[in-house]
Amino acid sequence: MDEIVNLMEIRGNVENIIYRNEENGYCVASVVLDDGGETAIVGTMPFLGAAEYITARGNYVNHPEYGMQFAVEYLERALPKEAVGMYEYLASRAIKGLGPKTARLIVEEFGADTFDIIASQPEELVKIKGISREKAMDISYSFNQQNTMKMILDFLLKYELPLGFAAGLYQEYGEHAVKIIKDDPYLLCKERFDLSFDRADSVA
């Protein structure tokens, strides 16, 4: 518990994604802090995108090549609600299959309703040049996959479990991951996660 108490907290907006690993969710991003400063954050942050507002807990570490970075242990995030932020988010390739050009066309068409359209009315995306029905469904799936990942991250945060479990939980249990682990937290003792029995017992 002492480790958690001693963690620092930072808040700010993700400016851009420097590096991401799609397989394990590891990400490096630059963040403009609420106090006006800027820092690089590193850690397991699946699907993180530009313009998200984050509250991160962790500590600064000095990387021998890249200098001071904030190593994230716990992360809360909120998607942008304005059209400009939505464009920045989509243009940062947070959604598989979407780049800056198509992102701009989508946001110009749907404005602040963009995320609602992608999530629940993907057939509307075929209005955009270059988006077939199949691609529209893929975009929607990827976006909703992120919502599932956010629920997993919120769960891990609530029970102070390693964020590094997120990608594995999604790969193992998909959209039902949170319910499955809530019903049987001892699954986290499996070799893939290797959580101690006592820790799983405290979650239970």
Side-chain angles (χ1 to χ4, degrees):
M1 193 68 178
D2 288 341
E3 285 184 22
I4 295 167
V5 172
N6 292 332
L7 293 178
M8 299 176 64
E9 182 175 283
I10 61 171
R11 298 169 183 261
N13 285 286
V14 178
E15 185 175 34
N16 61 66
I17 305 302
I18 299 168
Y19 169 81
R20 79 165 89 242
N21 184 312
E22 304 286 357
E23 294 298 316
N24 60 22
Y26 182 81
C27 183
V28 181
S30 64
V31 174
V32 177
L33 303 173
D34 283 355
D35 64 10
E38 187 171 337
T39 189
I41 61 172
V42 299
T44 303
M45 300 173 282
F47 304 113
L48 188 70
E52 285 194 67
Y53 183 81
I54 62 144
T55 300
R57 284 187 284 161
N59 282 298
Y60 281 100
V61 295
N62 193 4
H63 190 282
E65 184 175 353
Y66 300 111
M68 294 300 292
Q69 300 176 324
F70 191 85
V72 175
E73 296 290 336
Y74 301 95
L75 182 72
E76 295 177 56
R77 29 198 297 206
L79 288 171
K81 293 181 171 58
E82 305 296 328
V84 172
M86 291 179 177
Y87 164 72
E88 291 174 0
Y89 178 83
L90 296 177
S92 69
R93 300 186 186 279
I95 303 290
K96 190 175 181 180
L98 273 186
K101 183 178 177 182
T102 307
R104 184 175 297 281
L105 293 174
I106 291 174
V107 175
E108 284 177 350
E109 177 71 29
F110 301 112
D113 294 327
T114 291
F115 287 168
D116 288 337
I117 294 292
I118 292 174
S120 57
Q121 300 177 59
E123 63 278 0
E124 293 294 309
L125 294 175
V126 300
K127 295 178 180 178
I128 307 302
K129 183 179 179 181
I131 297 184
S132 63
R133 180 173 176 79
E134 182 180 2
K135 184 172 182 179
M137 296 302 118
D138 287 344
I139 291 169
S140 183
Y141 174 79
S142 181
F143 184 79
N144 288 322
Q145 181 184 38
Q146 294 185 38
N147 290 335
T148 298
M149 187 63 76
K150 185 178 184 303
M151 287 191 290
I152 293 173
L153 291 169
D154 288 345
F155 170 82
L156 295 174
L157 181 68
K158 179 179 179 180
Y159 292 100
E160 296 172 343
L161 295 168
L163 295 185
F165 286 2
L169 285 172
Y170 184 81
Q171 289 165 7
E172 194 93 3
Y173 306 114
E175 63 186 85
H176 304 297
V178 172
K179 182 182 185 308
I180 289 170
I181 296 302
K182 278 185 176 179
D183 289 346
D184 184 6
Y186 299 101
L187 291 170
L188 294 173
C189 298
K190 291 169 60 175
E191 185 177 346
R192 179 164 192 173
F193 305 106
D194 202 25
L195 192 70
S196 70
F197 180 86
D198 287 346
R199 189 70 189 87
D201 206 41
S202 69
V203 173

